[in-house]
Amino acid sequence: MQTKALLALLFTVVVWGIGPVFIRSLSVALGPGDHLVIRYGIVSLIYAVGLLVMGNWRIAREDWPRLLLLSLVGMLGYNLGSAFGFEKVTAGIGSLIIGTQPLLIALLGSVIAREKLSLPAIAGLALAFSGTGLLVWRDIGFGNGGNTMLLGSAFVFVSGLCWALYVVLTKPLIRKYGAYSISAWSIIIATLAMMAMLARPSTLHTIQGMSVSNWLDMAYMAGLSTLIAAISWNYGSSRLPAATAGAFIYLVPIIGVTAGALMLGETITPAMLMGGALILAGVALAQFGPMLRLKGSAMGLPAIIFAVTMWGLIPVAMRYLILGLSPQTAMVLRLYPAGLIAITVLLIVGVRRIEWRDWGRIAIAAFAGNLGYQVLAAFGMKSVPASWTGLLFGLEPVFIALFAVILAGEKLTTWLVAGMGLALLGTLALMLGSSFVPTGDVSLTGLILVTLSTMGWGIYTVVIRPVSRKYGAFQVACLAMGLSALPMVFFVTPEFPQAVASMQTTQWLAVGFVVIFGTFLATSAWNYALGHMESSIAGIFLYVQPIVAALGGMLLLGEQLTWPLLAGGALIIAGVAVAQFGPLINAPIKRSHLAAQPG
């Protein structure tokens, strides 16, 4: 009956969800080494008896290399990473990181078993790994406490990677010998390796000193979680559709976080909530994305959400780099690699011949537009929080429309004037608020520079539009990006080599994010989305950027939410909406002026 199957799956995910609490409790109380030796000594004995009783213990000689590999790398690696990881990381964070296992299985399946990795799976991988990065962001490159948490998170992640390898390698053996035989042999082999690596004379003293609570925890993990839950999962999953059974997996990290808070008193932080949501969304997208048959504008929906999210996080990453390095160093690290990659890509895919008169337009867009935008924004963000910068970047559609009137001779509408007035009123609120509500890191000069930088992007968009239509947006964008990188030699200071050599892990991650995700992948996703939906519809999603920037600044950089940020942001977004969508009230078919932007 389906009711029994559903109850069996519910029982299983509850048991597995609470498991990290007992793994952490045992690893902390007994030590991860003794915990594993005692736990798997019990489990392997039970499995060995089962093999003898059932009689299916024989394995062909040609299958032993694979069995040894999956046992000593997959099963052993999973348990070592899990036990030693949960000694250092909270049960809640560890549970969320474990939630990436389905994605790791898909990734290794494509590499080892040559299984096709779909586009939703790739997007899901990027989303979930972003969530994992968010969980450990504050612990990368900091003091000893942060290093302990980071090391524990890395152990738990590696344990998931080993388990993914185990799942992929066991498939052919399970089809040949059955699930029980392979599970039993892999656990027995891994246990023998654990005994050789971790067992010591003091392990006997640990056993003698175990409390009743320790034995109850051990009984839970050895009996309930390892044996009974596996049986209940097989019972439920065999009687329900795979999609239904898979949906239950999403409860495991949620239960793990809740159990850690209730049973161990762990704190649930905003970063855990946001990181966990990204992980679950990524796993869901990878698992159920291929089942969707999107048509029309819905095909571009995941792409445009990805693009505006990445662009919203660029002010966060750049602010982090600028505070840790300098505006010049951060700017060089962003533009030079991006320009180099852009030119390399063009050399590979080929370039259409461009007329001499059009090179002038491309150069103006690159130097006066893009380079001016980058320079002003970099020096402005030195004294403007990422959340404030994200809101000011929201002015870009208004300035694009303004410069279309000034440079391209387009009509100045009442809606544009009204929208500009409202948006600039919001900018004024931010500037005045920086004086009345000082936060210690906001200056009027910085706000002016960031505002002027958005004008630079408006010039870039208007000037480059005709040549983009003539030669193709991708080619022209790459050429402009390459030209923008040339002046970076003038921003290389004598301290640049030392600054680069002393960069922390998070700073290199921020550079990689800005260059790859924030520039190339986000722009490609935006252009793909524009090919599947009206630009007026796509423009609505630009309002997600300042929200992402504000959330990212608060969660990742510890920025504060103040009344100037709320009031000024609301006025800016309202002004942009009036300028951009006001004309559509009387002329709904007319498209607004939008262009890809780097954030």
Side-chain angles (χ1 to χ4, degrees), residues 58-68 173 176-177:
R58 294 178 179 82
I59 304 293
R61 181 178 299 177
E62 63 269 16
D63 292 324
W64 272 100
R66 177 181 285 264
L67 180 60
L68 290 173
L173 296 183
K176 187 173 181 179
Y177 300 103

Side-chain angles (χ1 to χ4, degrees), residues 315-323 381-386 441 557:
V316 180
M318 286 300 295
R319 166 80 168 169
Y320 178 74
L321 288 172
I322 289 168
L323 290 179
M381 279 190 275
K382 179 71 175 178
S383 56
V384 177
D441 58 354
L557 303 180

Side-chain angles (χ1 to χ4, degrees), residues 120-402:
I122 296 173
L125 280 166
L127 200 60
F129 292 158
S130 299
T132 305
L134 181 60
L135 290 177
V136 300
W137 172 263
R138 289 183 176 273
D139 302 308
I140 301 177
F142 292 98
N144 292 333
N147 288 336
T148 299
M149 179 69 77
L150 178 61
L151 185 61
S153 299
F155 281 159
V156 174
F157 183 80
V158 170
S159 76
L161 194 62
C162 290
W163 183 254
L165 181 68
Y166 176 86
V167 171
V168 173
L169 291 177
T170 54
K171 282 185 178 180
L173 296 183
I174 288 175
R175 285 194 292 265
K176 187 173 181 179
Y177 300 103
Y180 183 85
S181 294
I182 299 304
S183 298
W185 270 118
S186 62
I187 286 177
I188 292 171
I189 294 170
T191 301
L192 292 175
M194 287 180 203
M195 296 288 184
M197 294 170 58
L198 304 174
R200 353 166 244 187
S202 60
T203 303
L204 295 176
H205 297 293
T206 300
I207 295 175
Q208 293 173 352
M210 286 176 63
S211 65
V212 175
S213 176
N214 295 148
W215 280 113
L216 289 175
D217 292 349
M218 190 67 70
Y220 182 96
M221 291 307 304
L224 202 59
S225 181
T226 304
L227 294 174
I228 297 177
I231 296 172
S232 62
W233 174 263
N234 291 334
Y235 173 84
S237 61
S238 65
R239 288 163 173 78
L240 292 171
T244 303
F248 277 84
I249 294 296
Y250 299 102
L251 294 175
V252 173
I254 297 173
I255 294 171
V257 171
T258 305
L262 295 178
M263 301 174 69
L264 299 180
E266 297 175 355
T267 302
I268 300 177
T269 65
M272 286 177 62
L273 293 175
M274 191 171 179
L278 287 173
I279 290 173
L280 293 177
V283 175
L285 179 60
Q287 186 170 7
F288 300 110
M291 301 177 188
L292 301 177
R293 296 294 183 265
L294 300 177
K295 297 180 180 180
S297 62
M299 293 182 64
L301 187 60
I304 205 165
I305 292 175
F306 172 81
V308 297
T309 302
M310 296 301 102
W311 285 338
L313 289 174
I314 281 182
V316 180
M318 286 300 295
R319 166 80 168 169
Y320 178 74
L321 288 172
I322 289 168
L323 290 179
L325 303 171
S326 69
Q328 299 95 316
T329 302
M331 192 165 46
V332 172
L333 289 173
R334 177 183 183 182
L335 286 185
Y336 185 75
L340 188 63
I341 294 173
I343 297 302
T344 303
V345 170
L346 285 182
L347 290 175
I348 295 173
V349 302
V351 183
R352 290 176 58 190
R353 184 178 177 276
I354 295 178
E355 298 178 12
W356 281 107
R357 64 174 180 270
D358 293 327
W359 275 108
R361 184 177 284 271
I362 294 174
I364 292 173
F367 297 130
N370 189 39
L371 183 62
Y373 159 79
Q374 301 287 353
V375 172
L376 292 170
F379 283 92
M381 279 190 275
K382 179 71 175 178
S383 56
V384 177
S387 52
W388 293 53
T389 300
L391 289 173
L392 291 172
F393 280 172
L395 291 167
E396 288 171 356
V398 173
F399 287 124
I400 290 171
L402 175 63

